[in-house]
């Protein structure tokens, strides 16, 4: 079986951050967050990288990312567009951005022909996370109509920022230790030592345990996931497509497959601390963390030298 592929969702606009955060340097030699994800993935044995981007950022993305990556690993580009819809559907008036992580993963379908991981471009996951996911993907195999998927689970306290709210897939494990359900909480925030979430952006906040396992969109899939995404997208568009802010969430699709008995999702726990650039204020902390990793020998000073 071919080595696993890595799908990197990099089409996000980054509106809260205030710029094209996917190509903003965080390393000592101009490296960006994606560089560290690719570096860790290659060390873990991934053999193809598929970037999901927007056409309007293609030139700058290829210049900043492709120049370093393409000579080291089989690299493909696919495009997430607002109008990349099934036949019979059109974007509603007022909608300006694509349809979320479910659509982003779906557009990679023709570029993936092996088991694959799906990650965000602007999240730092850590080498241990890629190692455990690659190990799962090397042996993952659908059986008896049940898909064999996996999710790297971070501790919630390792994934929050002090500078605003974040969205996280809050996970519940079943008696067998596999993922029983995942609920997308779009507004999770720290309040001193407490972590809380609010429903639909309201004023009521509910405490959530700091060690709660959460999804950071670091998934392991067999190719059957693309059939599920393609089947679910028209239903989503019929039910919610008129809402200009509705998103086709990848975790929601996985959750539906679990509830229908069509997928079993192994929870792969990691103690790695997530870092990201959700907000501009997050960048100094991430840069300081990378500098420490370089000093400790975890990464070379010039990542791609």
């Amino acid at each position: 079986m071919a080595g696993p592929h890595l799908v990197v969702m990099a089409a996000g606009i980054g509106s809260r951050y205030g710029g094209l955060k996917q190509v903003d340097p965080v390393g000592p030699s101009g490296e960006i967050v994606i560089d560290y994800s690719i570096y860790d993935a290659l060390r873990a044995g991934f053999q193809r990288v598929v970037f999901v981007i927007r056409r309007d950022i293609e030139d700058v993305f290829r210049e900043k990312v492709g120049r370093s990556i393409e000579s080291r690993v089989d690299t493909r580009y696919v495009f997430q567009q607002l109008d990349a819809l099934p036949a019979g559907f059109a974007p509603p008036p007022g909608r300006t951005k694509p349809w979320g992580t479910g659509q982003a993963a779906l557009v990679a379908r023709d570029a993936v022909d092996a088991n694959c991981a799906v990650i965000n471009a602007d999240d730092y996951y850590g080498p241990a996370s890629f190692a455990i996911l690659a190990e799962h993907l090397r042996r993952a195999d659908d059986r008896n109509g049940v898909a064999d998927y996996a999710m790297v689970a971070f501790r919630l306290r390792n994934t929050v920022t002090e500078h605003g709210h974040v969205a996280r897939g809050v996970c519940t494990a079943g008696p067998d230790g596999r993922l029983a359900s995942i609920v997308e909480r779009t507004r999770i925030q720290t309040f001193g030592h407490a972590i809380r979430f609010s429903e639909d952006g309201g004023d009521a906040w509910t405490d959530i345990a700091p060690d709660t396992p959460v999804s950071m969109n670091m998934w392991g899939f067999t190719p059957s996931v693309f059939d599920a995404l393609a089947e679910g997208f028209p239903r989503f568009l019929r039910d919610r497509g008129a809402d200009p802010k509705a998103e086709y969430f990848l975790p929601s699709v996985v959750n539906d497959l679990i509830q229908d008995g069509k997928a079993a999702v192994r929870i792969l726990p990691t103690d790695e601390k997530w870092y990201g650039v959700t907000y501009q204020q997050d960048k100094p902390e991430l840069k300081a963390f990378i500098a420490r990793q370089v000093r400790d020998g975890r990464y070379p000073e010039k990542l791609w030298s």
Side-chain angles (χ1 to χ4, degrees), residues 99-205:
W99 298 87
T101 53
Q103 187 204 24
L106 179 56
V107 300
R109 182 178 197 169
D110 291 341
V112 175
D113 55 20
N115 292 344
C116 66
V118 177
I119 65 169
N120 294 334
D122 49 6
D123 290 326
Y124 173 88
Y125 296 102
S129 302
F130 283 98
I132 59 174
L133 187 52
E135 179 62 26
H136 164 82
L137 290 171
R138 279 189 280 269
R139 51 186 167 76
D141 189 20
D142 299 346
R143 291 185 175 89
N144 302 318
V146 179
D148 185 8
Y149 298 161
M151 183 206 71
V152 177
F154 288 73
R155 298 178 187 271
L156 177 60
R157 59 178 166 81
N158 287 338
T159 73
V160 292
T161 173
E162 297 178 357
H163 305 297
H165 66 270
V166 295
R168 299 288 180 259
V170 177
C171 304
T172 302
D176 60 356
R178 304 209 180 197
L179 187 64
S181 66
I182 181 166
V183 178
E184 189 76 11
R185 301 293 185 191
T186 59
R187 193 176 182 86
I188 297 177
Q189 194 164 325
T190 58
F191 293 83
H193 295 294
I195 304 176
R196 298 171 182 147
F197 71 90
S198 68
E199 297 281 4
D200 301 321
D203 295 330
W205 293 88

Side-chain angles (χ1 to χ4, degrees), residues 33 55 110 125 152 160 211 216 219 239 268 305:
V33 175
R55 286 195 181 276
D110 291 341
Y125 296 102
V152 177
V160 292
D211 281 336
M216 296 302 301
W219 296 96
D239 294 342
L268 307 178
S305 62

